[in-house]
Amino acid sequence: MAFTTILEQFDWEEIQHKIYSSTPEQVQHSLNKSKKSLDDFLVLLSPAAQPFLEQLAQISQQLTQKRFGKTIQMFAPMYLSNECQNICTYCGFSMDNRIPRKTLNPQEINLEIAAIKSQGYDHILLVSGEANYSVNINYFEEAIRLIKPTFSNISIEVQPLSVEEYRRLHQLGVHAVLVYQETYHKAVYKKYHPKGKKSNFEYRLDTPDRIGSAGIHKMGLGVLLGLEDWRTDSFFNALHLDYLQKTYWQSKYSVSFPRLRPAEGTVEPNFIMHDKDLVQLICAYRIWNEDLEISISTRESELLRNHIIGLGTTSMSAGSKTNPGGYAVDQTSLEQFEICDNRSTHEIAALIKNNGYEPVWKDWDRSFI
């Protein structure tokens, strides 16, 4: 049974009502349980749990250190292209934005590789717009062949692919695939994705099943925080993760928390998520699922990232560029979105150490496969 079938069994408004009608007594009951369920996750991300934030943070810190130790994995995103065939009203790469488009060629990829590697990274995340006519499986294979000798850990965040295409990338050494549903509210999804292959809600929803069927080592999920009510959307993201972990139990899983950031031609957030809300959400995920990897990007502010270490986070990016060629080739090309934390990789590594944690540059090698 695919997740599409499971999702159809849940009603958005009903779940939303359960979240907002949760009580402090239910929160305390969930915290006292030794094994947490999705119902507990629902309660822990409710408004009723906000007064318990300090307790949530303490439990989250304890569970994270027990499972992952005092470590933070370091990674850098590398944008390959800003070409895109989709219209997404929140994205700077949207096809209807009349901006210069750029796709890195092999020589430019090598320059970006050298610039990122010089900062100490061994984990790279490849990102691109969704342009199947130019940035397709053949392009990705060529890019990965160039990158593979330099980086031990390669992740990708690109357009949804077929099972066979994911298998090809897995054989080349891709460790993880990240794909975000953006929002699980089907009607709202259509509003923000009016044109392009991404407008197909069901095809995107089925993507993690194709990733799991291809045997990819790790999957990353998340919602774009700001499109819809973050509490309800996050419940459905957890529902999706729960299904995937039970179905593709050999794989590892991570969750990210992209909040809407300013970008060329984009809309204002439909729902505002405050920093304390994000802290609550991170803690709710950790208390519900001790094995889940939790990633915080440079979308977030210096202030938040200064205090989020130790509260559930397991990986962070630093010194990020969200435009193709941004590290060495073309620093003026269009960004997908503005980052918020502009500190260098060295500064973030020092921040992690000053908090009593170890920045980890390598925790995976292809020889383990």
Side-chain angles (χ1 to χ4, degrees), residues 56-72:
L56 293 176
Q58 291 175 0
I59 296 172
S60 181
Q61 183 181 61
Q62 293 167 4
L63 293 174
T64 304
Q65 290 185 13
K66 182 180 77 171
R67 172 63 180 80
F68 296 94
K70 300 186 73 173
T71 62
I72 301 289

Side-chain angles (χ1 to χ4, degrees), residues 186-239:
K186 189 172 182 179
V188 170
Y189 183 94
K190 295 291 185 183
K191 172 185 172 184
Y192 286 107
H193 307 93
K195 188 173 182 180
K197 195 169 183 179
K198 193 171 179 177
S199 65
N200 188 329
F201 178 86
E202 288 79 11
Y203 182 77
R204 193 169 189 88
L205 190 67
D206 287 339
T207 302
D209 276 293
R210 297 193 297 276
I211 297 170
S213 297
I216 297 292
H217 184 75
K218 186 170 80 173
M219 280 185 258
L221 271 68
V223 294
L224 185 53
L225 300 166
L227 297 187
E228 247 300 335
D229 173 44
W230 66 267
R231 290 185 168 91
T232 310
D233 241 342
S234 296
F235 170 82
F236 283 102
N237 189 66
L239 179 70

Side-chain angles (χ1 to χ4, degrees), residues 1 12 15 58 71 83 92 108 115 131 184-185 194 264 267 291 315 332 334:
M1 175 170 31
W12 179 280
I15 293 298
Q58 291 175 0
T71 62
E83 293 187 64
E108 292 170 330
Y184 286 86
H185 193 304
E264 180 74 22
V267 297
D291 293 324
S315 68
T332 63
L334 179 76

Side-chain angles (χ1 to χ4, degrees), residues 74 121 261 296-309 316-322 335 337-345 347-349 351-352:
M74 302 292 293
Y121 289 104
R261 292 283 302 144
I296 298 294
S297 76
T298 53
R299 284 179 183 259
E300 300 305 329
S301 68
E302 291 188 15
L303 179 63
L304 179 69
R305 280 163 52 98
N306 286 349
H307 294 91
I308 206 70
I309 298 169
M316 295 177 71
S317 55
S320 303
K321 305 298 181 183
T322 66
E335 297 176 320
F337 56 88
E338 294 179 12
I339 66 171
C340 193
D341 188 348
N342 289 285
R343 288 174 293 183
S344 68
T345 300
E347 290 175 296
I348 298 301
L351 170 69
I352 293 170

